[in-house]
Amino acid sequence: MNQEKIWFITGVSGGLGRSIARQAALSGDIVIGTLRKEEQIEEFSQVVPGKTYGVLLDVNEHAQIKGVIDAAILKFGRIDVLVNNAGYGLFGAVEEVSMEEARLQMETNFFGALAVTQAVLPLMRKQQGGHIVQISSQAGFRSAPGLGLYNASKFALEGFSEALALEAAHLNIKVTIVEPGPFRTSWAGNSSKRSADVIEDYASVAGKLITTINGYSGKQPNDPEKGANVIVEIVRSENPPLRLPLGPEAHEAIKNKLRSVADDINTWESKAMNTAF
């Protein structure tokens, strides 16, 4: 458990990805972090000199992923922990979001994470071990007005990750889905995108929540460094959870969803169960 681990983290230019990288490196591990701009690489490599290594990769460029991972394996021999963190928030009511905007959201948040996961799995199978950490969101478990397509991208991430946890457990490959609430990153600000179309009929519901989210950017109640510390701790634990809600708001949101689902099931159970021939 105390052996030096090799981490591969996507999207380390800032936010939770940068915090996870820093905390893992400070704990003694080696971190390979992906960035989309050449000028960011050296700066990241100096976060914890000798422990953090920046590499150029856009997770939407699937053809480049294998080469980057192969280079990491050539240099370090293995990858023990994959963290799929790269992503962004798309804001807009379901009707407001164009098909192009929706596809771009799914490309980064879902297909990008899927492609990197698939590229790392052959190595982890060969190693007979590894840990895949998927950075989802409380929005990957509970939907909210104005976030429908972001919800969809994270629900999809969680869906294949749950299946992967079942498929790979016998290979000693662990999966953890991290579901943060509001952390003080740029997710709600300049890292997010708003649908080009805005429909006045949704202003009092979706529009209101989007304005609230944008307004608390930089003022969120949770510290990314503390969240990162929890993630590093669960990676070092013998029995990491499949799900890790992060922060009190995420815990409350998920518990409310579970209560709502239970209420629906219980209310309609007698009729819904009466379906046999």
Side-chain angles (χ1 to χ4, degrees):
M1 288 174 60
N2 294 322
Q3 179 186 6
E4 177 187 71
K5 294 181 182 295
I6 310 298
W7 295 58
F8 189 96
I9 306 177
T10 65
V12 296
S13 61
L16 192 56
R18 172 63 66 94
S19 294
I20 297 167
R22 183 187 299 110
Q23 294 303 325
L26 289 173
S27 76
D29 291 343
I30 288 174
V31 179
I32 305 144
T34 74
L35 302 134
R36 290 186 298 162
K37 297 177 182 178
E38 187 80 43
E39 60 268 24
Q40 297 172 320
I41 292 174
E42 180 57 29
E43 188 271 334
F44 176 75
S45 296
Q46 294 304 313
V47 170
V48 182
K51 292 291 186 180
T52 52
Y53 298 85
V55 295
L56 191 65
L57 179 67
D58 183 335
V59 297
N60 291 324
E61 301 295 334
H62 297 177
Q64 298 175 7
I65 293 171
K66 186 178 184 300
V68 172
I69 288 173
D70 285 348
I73 296 167
L74 186 64
K75 183 175 179 65
F76 297 106
R78 66 187 193 278
I79 294 173
D80 300 302
V81 186
L82 165 65
V83 181
N84 279 309
N85 172 73
Y88 68 94
L90 173 63
F91 300 159
V94 171
E95 187 182 349
E96 293 175 333
V97 175
S98 70
M99 290 301 292
E100 181 182 4
E101 290 167 333
R103 288 181 188 279
L104 289 172
Q105 176 77 131
M106 295 300 293
E107 279 294 336
T108 299
N109 290 8
F110 173 68
F111 286 109
L114 176 61
V116 177
T117 299
Q118 289 181 331
V120 167
L121 279 168
L123 170 67
M124 289 188 172
R125 283 193 290 110
K126 184 179 179 181
Q127 293 173 170
Q128 287 287 292
H131 197 154
I132 297 171
V133 179
Q134 310 285 35
I135 304 301
S136 180
S137 167
Q138 67 180 34
F141 197 88
R142 187 268 290 139
S143 294
L147 296 176
L149 269 299
Y150 179 70
N151 290 136
S153 70
K154 294 299 189 180
F155 271 51
L157 174 69
E158 296 207 8
F160 92 76
S161 299
E162 278 191 27
L164 177 60
L166 298 170
E167 294 166 352
H170 71 290
L171 300 169
N172 195 34
I173 299 171
K174 299 168 184 176
V175 178
T176 297
I177 301 165
V178 181
E179 298 165 325
F183 276 75
R184 198 165 296 180
T185 71
S186 60
W187 179 86
N190 58 21
S191 291
S192 66
K193 296 182 181 181
R194 178 65 161 100
S195 61
D197 191 17
V198 178
I199 300 171
E200 181 60 30
D201 283 344
Y202 297 114
S204 63
V205 184
K208 182 178 180 181
L209 183 60
I210 292 167
T211 299
T212 299
I213 291 172
N214 290 151
Y216 69 47
S217 182
K219 305 171 189 174
Q220 297 98 322
N222 295 292
D223 181 354
E225 298 297 321
K226 290 182 178 178
N229 274 329
V230 178
I231 292 168
V232 172
E233 183 176 344
I234 66 106
V235 165
R236 293 190 175 280
S237 69
E238 289 189 39
N239 296 299
L242 173 60
R243 275 195 164 79
L244 181 71
L246 212 51
E249 297 80 8
H251 277 260
E252 188 59 27
I254 289 170
K255 288 176 182 176
N256 285 340
K257 165 76 175 279
L258 292 172
R259 283 191 286 266
S260 174
V261 171
D263 287 345
D264 284 345
I265 291 171
N266 293 333
T267 299
W268 287 92
E269 183 174 10
S270 62
K271 293 183 181 297
M273 292 284 281
N274 189 24
T275 58
F277 281 106

